[in-house]
Structures are given as structure tokens and as C-alpha cells.
Amino acid sequence: MFSGAQISLYPMTGDFVGVITRALAALDPHRDRLRIETDDISTLIIGTPDVVFAAMRDLFAAAASSGEHCVLHATISRGCPGEPDDPICQTPELTGPMAPLDERKARAHQAVKDAAVIGQEAAAQFSLYTLGIDGHMDEIYGCIDFLKNSGVFEKSKNFCTKLRGDTGAVFSTVHEALVRFGPPAGHVTIDLTVSANSPSKR
Amino acid sequence: MFSGAQISLYPMTGDFVGVITRALAALDPHRDRLRIETDDISTLIIGTPDVVFAAMRDLFAAAASSGEHCVLHATISRGCPGEPDDPICQTPELTGPMAPLDERKARAHQAVKDAAVIGQEAAAQFSLYTLGIDGHMDEIYGCIDFLKNSGVFEKSKNFCTKLRGDTGAVFSTVHEALVRFGPPAGHVTIDLTVSANSPSKR
């Protein structure tokens, strides 16, 4: 298994470099379980999905606590057949046979219920892509059904689903979408946008 | 067929609202061929892929001409089985049988060669997802081969491919990736990030 994300942080302020630099300290508790590489468009974080999502959540919350309008975007992937297996990504969660959809939805709900409360409101939208399987829309519709009952569902949009709530519950919900839908060892990706402090109307 | 994109523009300046507002005029020549809806995370533009890409290109170039570090993100989709057919999206390009890969690559190269020169440098990265088909990686590898010879290829990254060049050629290349790979009536999506004026090193 290979899993991780290409992430970018966009603080809408002339001091965007300062906001990003100060937020980076939030990655420190996660660094020993991640491989990290940066260029001028994004930062690659490779690790198990739970660590990758905790790192994104803490980075986003740190940037948002500046009070500036901040957006985090992530291109998230697990199980891409074009990537090599990596020991830093090994997780028992993504092995074994695929459980029935209802069982997976129940586990996803429990995980979101148990999510840490961060105390920062986040709006988010994301698209889930389950690749290389027949009937990919069945998994996507199963996921959308989970999202509608996740407690952070805001609305369905064309091409994506929109969430709003505490940063902890929002990132936990997207994490569950990645690991519970599509086959355990399958190729699943997410296109995620999370926003805080927007002056725009909903 | 239903096709379009959820797009967001991120100017890294305290005057982000001003930069966005002034850039919106660039959409005017395209408005009569698009359906547009906006909320606090993104703007939906629905239309044929050629119009959607021309609109994104012109919006990005207008924002980037401010000189500020600006990023455009787009979640692009065509042929999603969960969306209704829409007359505004009808295009002869996305009907008929799937041509051989080499023929599609040749057409893609010709289109990029003919792309308008915009005079604004852009760095970009994107992921192509061909859904609901067996052997999805064959289409993705075919696309990557096209990208490597597109004239705007910068490097392969985990989960995506990075481009750099004139805004016209960059958007034309991503447009060709969307319409030439995967079956003509198939479900294909792209997660696209385009950046200008970044102070970060490559």
C-alpha cells in the first residue's frame, strides 16, 4: 500500500508566508510517521491515512487560528497501482476482504462520533473516486449516504459534497470516506478543499 | 453528457476580494455558453469542456496579471453517471467509439500546438481519473506519455503530473487530458491546481 496527499495551504493575506511558516509547527508531532517533500505548488505527505489526516487537520487548524481566510487543498490517494508499497504506509485497516456496506457505514459513523473536538469551524467539499472497479457509483452513493448522516453534511453539489462543522469532525468524516469506501486494497482518491474564515455568503 | 467544474481562485493578498472581483470580467465573453453558481467555497461552471477551459484560463490569467501570488483550483468532471444530460454540455467531441490511443495522443498534441498564447507563465499540477473502466491505469499512462511530450511537462510527482509554461498551452494540455483519455462518453475527472507568481522555489 502507498498512501498520502499532496497538500497546499492558501492564506488570503499579504503575510501568507508568515501564516504558513507559523502553522508548520503543527506538523511536528506527526513528522516521525510521515515522509515530507515540498515544491512551489504543494507538499507531499506520505504515511498511513490516520496520520496523514491528523497532520492535515492540525496544519489547517493552526493556519485558521490566525483569523485570516485560509484554504487547504489536498489531493489524497491510497492504493494507486502506479506507486510502490512503502513500509511507512502499512496499516491493518486496508487489508482483508471488503465488509458489507452497512457495516462499513456503521464503523465510519462511530469514528466520526469519537473524533477529537478542535474548536475551529471548517467548511469543506470533496469528491471521492473509487477507481478500477465496476459499479464505482455504488461505493460513491454508499459514501454519500454516510455523509448525509455524518452530522457535518451541509449539501450535495455537482461533482462533490459539502460539509460544515468542527474541524475535527470534518477531517474525520473525509478520512472515513477514504478508508471505508472502495475495496480495502483498492485505488481510491479524494479531491478535498477545506476553508475557514471566508467573508463570502454560503 | 454533463460536464463542468467547481472552481476556486485564491489570491494570496489582503485584497483577495478585489483581485477576484476584477478578474471576474474575464468570464464575460463565455457567460452565454455557461451556467454559473457560486457559494463560499467554489463557483460551478457548467458547459462543454472547451468553453469551461477557456473560461478558467481567462479567469486565471486575469487574476495572475495582478502580480499577486494567485492559485486556481478546479474539480473538473465529464460524463458522471449521477448527473443529468444537459443541452449546454452537448459536444460532438464526446460521442462515438474510442479511437486508438496513438490517434488520440496525436490529436491532443496538435491541439496544444494550436493553443492561443496568453503571455502569462503558469505552473500547474493535476491528476486524471478515468472511472468505471477496467484497466484505468492504461488510459492514465497513455495520458502521462502525452504530457511528457506536450512541451509543458515539468515533472512527474506522486499522485499527479506537474506542468509549466504559457497559460494557454498549460490549460490546453489539461483540456486535452480530459477529453482524449477514457471512453468518449465515460466518466472522467481531473483535480487541477494552477499557480502564478509564487515566491517559493521549484
Side-chain angles (χ1 to χ4, degrees):
Chain A
M1 176 65 68
F2 191 85
S3 55
Q6 293 282 3
I7 64 172
S8 305
L9 194 54
Y10 307 121
M12 258 57 77
T13 163
D15 183 34
F16 64 96
V17 174
V19 172
I20 294 172
T21 308
R22 287 187 292 277
L24 283 176
L27 291 180
D28 290 345
H30 309 290
R31 281 184 191 273
D32 61 341
R33 288 170 298 163
L34 293 170
R35 199 171 75 241
I36 302 181
E37 289 167 27
T38 295
D39 69 17
D40 59 318
I41 294 206
S42 63
T43 291
L44 175 72
I45 53 174
I46 296 296
T48 57
D50 57 338
V51 177
V52 166
F53 273 88
M56 291 194 295
R57 176 197 65 199
D58 294 348
L59 179 68
F60 171 79
S65 74
S66 66
E68 302 290 355
H69 174 29
C70 289
V71 170
L72 178 137
H73 179 267
T75 300
I76 308 163
S77 173
R78 68 164 170 95
C80 176
E83 309 274 6
D85 279 343
D86 193 313
I88 207 173
C89 302
Q90 266 177 16
T91 171
E93 214 168 22
L94 296 174
T95 55
M98 185 147 78
L101 195 53
D102 280 347
E103 193 179 315
R104 289 183 278 141
K105 280 195 242 176
R107 285 194 199 165
H109 282 302
Q110 191 57 48
V112 174
K113 228 168 148 179
D114 295 344
V117 175
I118 301 295
Q120 165 70 51
E121 194 190 65
Q125 71 188 30
F126 76 103
S127 310
L128 176 78
Y129 305 121
T130 51
L131 292 137
I133 57 169
D134 288 335
H136 69 290
M137 294 304 292
D138 295 342
E139 289 294 309
I140 291 171
Y141 290 137
C143 180
I144 290 171
D145 188 49
F146 150 64
L147 296 174
K148 286 188 172 166
N149 298 290
S150 64
V152 291
F153 177 80
E154 184 174 303
K155 64 175 177 174
S156 295
K157 295 175 63 167
N158 293 105
F159 316 140
C160 57
T161 299
K162 193 171 177 198
L163 311 177
R164 185 179 303 273
D166 183 75
T167 292
V170 165
F171 277 87
S172 174
T173 299
V174 184
H175 173 219
E176 292 304 309
L178 182 76
V179 299
R180 302 284 176 206
F181 301 91
H187 185 192
V188 180
T189 68
I190 281 178
D191 173 349
L192 169 68
T193 300
V194 193
S195 170
N197 311 318
S198 171
S200 300
K201 61 179 185 189
R202 299 179 191 179
Chain B
M1 174 66 67
F2 191 85
S3 55
Q6 292 282 2
I7 65 173
S8 305
L9 195 53
Y10 307 121
M12 258 58 77
T13 164
D15 183 34
F16 65 96
V17 175
V19 172
I20 294 172
T21 308
R22 287 187 291 277
L24 283 176
L27 291 181
D28 289 345
H30 309 289
R31 281 184 191 274
D32 61 340
R33 289 169 297 163
L34 294 171
R35 200 170 75 241
I36 301 183
E37 290 168 24
T38 295
D39 69 17
D40 60 318
I41 294 208
S42 63
T43 291
L44 174 72
I45 53 174
I46 296 295
T48 56
D50 57 336
V51 177
V52 166
F53 272 88
M56 292 195 293
R57 175 197 66 197
D58 293 348
L59 179 68
F60 171 79
S65 74
S66 67
E68 302 289 354
H69 175 27
C70 290
V71 170
L72 177 138
H73 180 267
T75 300
I76 308 161
S77 173
R78 67 163 169 96
C80 176
E83 311 275 6
D85 279 343
D86 192 314
I88 206 173
C89 302
Q90 266 179 16
T91 169
E93 213 169 23
L94 296 174
T95 54
M98 183 148 79
L101 194 53
D102 281 346
E103 193 180 316
R104 289 183 277 140
K105 281 195 242 177
R107 283 194 202 165
H109 282 303
Q110 191 57 49
V112 174
K113 229 169 147 178
D114 295 342
V117 175
I118 301 294
Q120 167 69 51
E121 195 191 64
Q125 71 188 29
F126 76 103
S127 311
L128 175 80
Y129 305 121
T130 51
L131 292 136
I133 57 168
D134 289 334
H136 70 291
M137 294 304 291
D138 295 341
E139 289 294 310
I140 291 172
Y141 290 138
C143 180
I144 291 172
D145 187 48
F146 151 64
L147 296 175
K148 286 189 173 167
N149 298 292
S150 64
V152 291
F153 177 79
E154 184 175 303
K155 63 175 178 175
S156 295
K157 295 175 66 168
N158 294 104
F159 315 141
C160 58
T161 299
K162 192 171 178 199
L163 311 178
R164 183 179 303 272
D166 183 75
T167 293
V170 165
F171 277 85
S172 173
T173 299
V174 183
H175 173 220
E176 292 303 309
L178 183 78
V179 299
R180 302 282 176 206
F181 300 92
H187 185 192
V188 178
T189 68
I190 281 180
D191 173 348
L192 170 67
T193 300
V194 193
S195 169
N197 312 319
S198 170
S200 300
K201 61 180 184 187
R202 300 178 191 180

